[in-house]
Amino acid sequence: MGERLASIRQLSNDSGLSKNTVIQALHLLESKNFIESRPKSGFFVANQIRREEPRKPNFDSFEPTQVNVPEMFQDIMMRSAAFDILPHEQAPAPTSSLVTLHRHINKAMRYQATKKSNYYDEPIGNINLRSELKDMYRPAGVLRTAADFCITSGCQHSLFLALMATCKPGDNVAVESPGFYGVLQLLQQLQLNVIEIPSSPSSGFDVEAFASALVTWEIKACVVTPAFATPSGAEMRESCKGHLIALANQYDIAVIEDDIYGDLGFNIRPTPLKALDTQERVILCSSISKSLSRDLRIGWIIGGRWHEEIIKLKLVNNLANSQAIQLGLSSFISEGHYKRHLQQKRQVLKQQRDQLIQNIHDCWPENVRFNTPNGGLALWVETHPDADMQSLYYSLLSDKIVITPGVLFSTTKQFNNYLRLSFNHPTTGNREKAIKRIAKDL
């Protein structure tokens, strides 16, 4: 693992094949996770550690239920531990990208102080930023104008606006299981019922199961993360995306797409559902929180047929976003800094994923299952069937270790022996010790 391959020129000479053929072969091996590319370094043998992936949930039936998010969720968020098992560790030095980003924001702040500090931004958001987002999505097949975007205060805010625009209290909403606990929190707040649809750790949302649920229940909206969904890191197959859109068209359903991890694909940027939308019923929600900075609280939403209603709702509950931050971010993107940042971040996350997998493989029991996602921020881990991750959560707090138990990602009791582990930070030093400490109770 980790050995560097010969150069493309050398491989071409040794094999007698053209450089284009060698490049195609390398890209095929990369797509299958046998090798990995590193900027300015070449191709390397990828991590080949594999375990059985966590089991997909099995539901006998699909019934709407009310949501009651465990109090543990609030405790984890209060500890700033959503993607870190040791949130009190000293923060690393800021990357050059963040330094550059804040330089752009500071410049915009100085401009705002003399030009626009006495004025609110329009609810739809800054035109410069919306134009940059429009250009960012074009290579992914989302061909929209700047007028189709609305700036929000993060992806969670976008999801909130999407659910408010498409649903009323008592409506049924389909979600992935396991799925994002933030969506469950929103459903509880908006008094919406949840219908959980099983999700595979490798291929994601089970569209066939969703079709079965539609036969029995009236479903108003479906919330899904096709690209590297949390907690599993699953990536939906292209054929399933088309099937999901067809079902939404047939049953007149709003599809709310959480695209927050779309930019964090290690090999490719998956095609968003919005690119396949022919009836303006896919609402794309995203932000820079996972790819660049959680602190800025900048997100966006492409509302489709609900666009005008979403802008009105934003005006009611949020009014406007910071003009200076939007201007600073838009200039950061326009000068190519965001693209360069992503190229580096993807490689770092991929290496940290392999580092975490190696640590789990070395010191956790052999019956522990985990997946190997091709993007995102987290592994989905299944432990012994009798393990209780909720109890382990509280016992580990005395060591200042904060895990994220599987029960947070569902209203069912199927994931009590599961947990999400993030590779957002290197598994070295005290974090490596924390992984070994957890092993004692598995």
Side-chain angles (χ1 to χ4, degrees), residues 257-269:
E257 177 178 19
D258 184 348
D259 189 48
I260 195 167
Y261 300 104
D263 279 341
L264 297 181
F266 301 150
N267 302 317
I268 62 169
R269 203 286 184 213

Side-chain angles (χ1 to χ4, degrees), residues 375-391:
L377 293 177
L379 302 182
W380 185 229
V381 181
E382 179 186 356
T383 64
H384 189 276
D386 295 331
D388 183 354
M389 292 298 107
Q390 283 183 284
S391 297

